[in-house]
Amino acid sequence: MSPPRTPPNLHQNTIDPEAKWLVQKFGGTSVGKFAVKIADDIVSNYIDQHKVAIVCSARSGSTKALGTTNLLLRAAKEVLQRNNSPSGTPGHMTPTLFSSLAQAQSPTGSDSSRAQGASSPRESYTPGGFTPGGYVNLSLTSGRSPSFSSTVDVLRSEHLNAARASVRDPGLLRELELEIEQDCDGLRSFLFATQVIDEISPRSRDSIIGFGERLACKVMTAILRDRGIDAEYVSLENIVPVTEEELSDTETLGQEFYDRVASAVAERIQQCAPRVPVVTGFFGPVPGSLLRQVGRGYTDLLAALLAAGLGASELQIWKEVDGIFTADPRKVPTARLIPVISPEEAAELTYYGSEVVHPFTMEQVIRRKIPIRIKNVENPQDGGTVIHPDPDVDVDVAPFGEDTIIPGNSTVYKPAAQKQERMLPTAVTIKERIIVLSVSSNRKSVSHGFLAGVFGTLDRYGVVVDLISTSEVYVSMAIEDSLDKRILDRVVRELQKNGTVTVSKNMAILSLVGKRMRNMVGVAGLMFTTLGQGNVNIEMISQGANEINISCVIDARDAVKALNLIHQSCLQIKPEGARGRVGPWLF
Ligand SMILES: Nc1ncnc2c1ncn2[C@@H]1O[C@H](COP(=O)(O)OP(=O)(O)O)[C@@H](O)[C@H]1O
Ligand SMILES: N[C@@H](CC(=O)OP(=O)(O)O)C(=O)O
């Protein structure tokens, strides 16, 4: 491995070896739009006082929908499109392709084959660290280029353009360009290989999306080094010990596995200090598949595991929003920033549509008493929202060190408003693209097997129920509208064995969340009266067993109206001097 190029302005980080780690996670749109700002205005402000570790997602443009991960998933789909096949069988391919297939078929894809020459299976990179030439260009006798290849071209030019626009040092840029070319060739080889075997397993799909985080972190490492920050690229694919047996077992992805990830990744990152590690949020082979078991947004979880493993002082999640608001600020103009929120409330909000942080993130850090802070890349001086490990902390008291005070928060908290806020629910959220499945038992006598029959069917098809409302002979379930139509039809046919089934589409779940609601009288009444007065029809109602969430299902067309109505009636702080507010009351 050739040594990484050292730019002339590289600053040797001289942090106290006893200093605590600070983990900063940057999402796809932040890395895509503000990579230079992240280096200049964010990371550089923390490295003198903390050991900083950075976790990045795959780059996105203006939205996640147009981002690298979605393009990679599109490429994976294109591989299996019949009319896309180059000429069908390996017999039509040149020997060049055959020779590259063996290495491309490795489940961890390209880098695993390139890492073979490295002294350790743990792969670490600073731009220029890999030897070139790990891949052979593919050519097909048919001469037609499959559409996944054009998708790879889009990714290649997007990353090359980003590199050219932000890395000034010509040597660093050349090394980065080479890395991007090699990764894109590796991706192409991997996709060709899966096309030959005509199958993409969940594990292969995971490997394909992993290219996104690798590319993003290589670009980010080069930008940091170009800006004089001594950074080191760290890919996690071969870090986490996992057996073949575990990989096919969906049960092993529990806390024991997460603890293993946390300590393996932390051990690797400790070796980087005083360099700033730039870590792929993609963490490689995972029991039962990362996409299936954790889902999109998995880099938040990796950042949490790393923070837990390192015993970090704080996990910062940088977004393009100032923090968690009392409602989605894009939909409710009067929404306020929440300075401190409990982990349970934050998790509940993320499950029910306010997808600011992946819902699995909270548990991993909070169990180690590490606070999470949501901050805005475009507004780095503000305090953001702290998800506090002590759920009973007072909003105006920050008991664990200077970093958790809420300095320069753009929201001015006047004592009267603060007092009022403590008597309100915390936030309202909406989850769209919901279907309600209702089953009415056709039995005329006591039917103890009814619910078991219904849930047995849902379990067989892996359907996750977001909300449920039930009686002995009737059950309504709100589920995400993400099932393939054929699968949904099959689920409905099976459910019909238990009774009459109705399917209501284009629905939304509206949830009012707040830990103080446990002690409030009248909040549910106020919520439903408000909806009734606003002519919003309610399809089903459910109050979570944890009593911090009251939810109902409404028509999706009413979603934004209902959100604003509930925000106004249940969450609005009265202007000073206003009188006559009707509940909810604390007792
Ligand atoms: N209660 C909420 N507080 C803050 N943001 C929310 C809330 N509910 C929904 N959102 C939305 O979540 C998004 C999260 O921030 P952003 O960084 O843009 O997301 P992403 O990581 O998906 O690019 C924001 O665009 C915001 O509109
Ligand atoms: N790139 C992955 C993982 C991720 O965490 O993304 P983000 O941090 O942009 O939500 C995805 O798009 O799902």
Side-chain angles (χ1 to χ4, degrees):
M1 218 157 64
S2 58
R5 181 182 153 71
T6 305
N9 62 341
L10 199 71
H11 160 87
Q12 292 298 321
N13 306 338
T14 50
I15 184 73
D16 172 4
E18 297 305 309
K20 282 201 137 192
W21 283 91
L22 172 71
V23 177
Q24 299 188 316
K25 183 260 167 175
F26 297 97
T29 38
S30 303
V31 176
K33 289 199 293 192
F34 304 112
V36 171
K37 188 175 167 53
I38 289 172
D40 284 346
D41 299 348
I42 299 176
V43 178
S44 60
N45 279 340
Y46 286 91
I47 47 172
D48 289 336
Q49 271 149 36
H50 302 82
K51 285 189 210 153
V52 175
I54 296 176
V55 177
C56 294
S57 304
R59 292 170 59 85
S60 291
S62 48
T63 65
K64 197 163 164 167
L66 301 171
T68 301
T69 308
N70 275 8
L71 279 177
L72 287 165
L73 287 170
R74 184 174 97 187
K77 232 181 192 169
E78 286 166 344
V79 161
L80 297 184
Q81 282 161 8
R82 291 271 150 216
N83 56 2
N84 200 17
S85 171
S87 296
T89 64
H92 292 91
M93 296 174 195
T94 61
T96 316
L97 174 57
F98 271 130
S99 56
S100 57
L101 285 180
Q103 63 180 33
Q105 273 176 339
S106 146
T108 46
S110 58
D111 278 0
S112 62
S113 53
R114 277 192 294 177
Q116 281 167 4
S119 53
S120 150
R122 290 176 182 163
E123 166 185 286
S124 142
Y125 158 93
T126 42
F130 285 134
T131 44
Y135 297 99
V136 194
N137 273 340
L138 297 171
S139 58
L140 298 165
T141 50
S142 73
R144 250 188 321 123
S145 172
S147 49
F148 67 74
S149 197
S150 324
T151 306
V152 177
D153 287 338
V154 172
L155 286 171
R156 177 184 161 277
S157 42
E158 200 276 327
H159 285 85
L160 285 173
N161 289 343
R164 287 166 192 157
S166 41
V167 177
R168 302 161 301 187
D169 181 273
L172 270 180
L173 177 60
R174 245 190 331 275
E175 288 169 353
L176 178 60
E177 285 173 335
L178 192 63
E179 285 297 329
I180 294 171
E181 297 284 8
Q182 286 178 349
D183 269 0
C184 290
D185 287 348
L187 170 62
R188 224 183 292 267
S189 304
F190 192 87
L191 292 167
F192 269 112
T194 46
Q195 186 168 65
V196 171
I197 56 173
D198 198 22
E199 186 203 317
I200 294 202
S201 65
R203 191 170 158 194
S204 310
R205 192 172 285 109
D206 281 1
S207 295
I208 291 168
I209 59 167
F211 279 91
E213 273 76 30
R214 286 218 296 268
L215 285 164
C217 287
K218 286 179 181 180
V219 174
M220 198 66 221
T221 309
I223 293 175
L224 286 165
R225 291 178 70 78
D226 188 52
R227 261 60 202 173
I229 298 171
D230 197 3
E232 177 175 344
Y233 166 84
V234 182
S235 169
L236 299 183
E237 279 147 276
N238 298 314
I239 299 281
V240 182
V242 51
T243 62
E244 279 299 318
E245 208 181 1
E246 283 176 322
L247 283 176
S248 50
D249 174 7
T250 52
E251 301 296 312
T252 29
L253 190 59
Q255 193 53 47
E256 191 277 327
F257 179 76
Y258 287 149
D259 289 343
R260 226 188 304 160
V261 176
S263 46
V265 177
E267 194 190 316
R268 172 67 188 86
I269 295 315
Q270 301 273 18
Q271 295 163 10
C272 296
R275 283 182 163 181
V276 173
V278 181
V279 188
T280 60
F282 176 85
F283 51 107
V286 156
S289 147
L290 186 61
L291 262 186
R292 282 199 173 173
Q293 301 284 85
V294 177
R296 299 290 300 272
Y298 47 81
T299 53
D300 285 346
L301 175 61
L302 185 275
L305 294 172
L306 175 58
L310 291 171
S313 58
E314 185 169 282
L315 165 63
Q316 296 183 342
I317 299 188
W318 290 81
K319 315 275 305 175
E320 280 106 79
V321 67
D322 279 334
I324 302 180
F325 282 70
T326 48
D328 185 343
R330 281 180 310 187
K331 295 176 181 155
V332 179
T334 52
R336 302 180 308 282
L337 182 70
I338 304 169
V340 181
I341 189 168
S342 74
E344 293 87 354
E345 289 169 313
E348 206 76 4
L349 284 172
T350 57
Y351 273 119
Y352 288 100
S354 289
E355 290 168 8
V356 186
V357 188
H358 190 287
F360 296 176
T361 315
M362 267 64 75
E363 197 190 334
Q364 299 307 322
V365 264
I366 298 306
R367 57 209 299 273
R368 307 271 176 113
K369 299 265 181 248
I370 298 168
I372 307 173
R373 188 188 289 267
I374 319 287
K375 280 176 75 79
N376 191 344
V377 175
E378 293 182 90
N379 195 9
Q381 69 287 352
D382 270 16
T385 294
V386 178
I387 303 174
H388 201 291
D390 176 358
D392 294 322
V393 72
D394 252 350
V395 182
D396 47 353
V397 185
F400 51 88
E402 56 183 47
D403 276 341
T404 56
I405 301 167
I406 298 136
N409 198 318
S410 57
T411 311
V412 180
Y413 279 86
K414 294 188 182 149
Q418 245 182 34
K419 197 166 164 220
Q420 256 195 62
E421 202 158 66
R422 287 203 204 103
M423 300 174 72
L424 298 174
T426 303
V428 59
T429 179
I430 196 102
K431 182 167 181 176
E432 294 180 89
R433 303 194 61 238
I434 292 292
I435 295 181
V436 175
L437 290 178
S438 300
V439 190
S440 174
S441 168
N442 43 20
R443 308 233 176 111
K444 300 284 176 268
S445 57
V446 175
S447 53
H448 53 84
F450 171 60
L451 288 179
V454 169
F455 288 113
T457 300
L458 298 181
D459 185 41
R460 271 192 298 286
Y461 288 91
V463 178
V464 177
V465 177
D466 280 338
L467 215 64
I468 179 164
S469 163
T470 180
S471 71
E472 189 185 316
V473 289
Y474 189 85
V475 60
S476 279
M477 295 154 302
I479 62 167
E480 239 177 65
D481 189 0
S482 55
L483 287 182
D484 185 273
K485 186 179 174 314
R486 277 170 311 163
I487 306 280
L488 180 64
D489 289 346
R490 259 191 263 162
V491 171
V492 170
R493 269 202 304 279
E494 270 207 37
L495 287 176
Q496 279 165 341
K497 292 177 192 157
N498 302 286
T500 313
V501 180
T502 51
V503 181
S504 314
K505 292 197 168 183
N506 300 320
M507 310 303 283
I509 299 175
L510 178 75
S511 306
L512 188 59
V513 171
K515 66 175 196 280
R516 291 172 292 255
M517 292 198 311
R518 283 188 189 125
N519 301 325
M520 277 178 188
V521 175
V523 67
L526 181 61
M527 178 175 172
F528 297 120
T529 309
T530 306
L531 293 176
Q533 284 167 350
N535 247 340
V536 177
N537 189 37
I538 298 166
E539 174 86 11
M540 64 185 267
I541 294 177
S542 168
Q543 172 156 20
N546 57 10
E547 291 185 64
I548 67 167
N549 177 346
I550 304 172
S551 293
C552 62
V553 176
I554 60 174
D555 196 307
R557 277 174 308 193
D558 292 329
V560 175
K561 174 170 93 172
L563 204 53
N564 278 279
L565 284 171
I566 297 302
H567 193 266
Q568 202 177 6
S569 70
C570 300
L571 284 152
Q572 200 77 19
I573 295 177
K574 292 185 297 199
E576 256 171 69
R579 283 150 50 100
R581 188 169 193 285
V582 184
W585 297 273
L586 274 172
F587 61 85

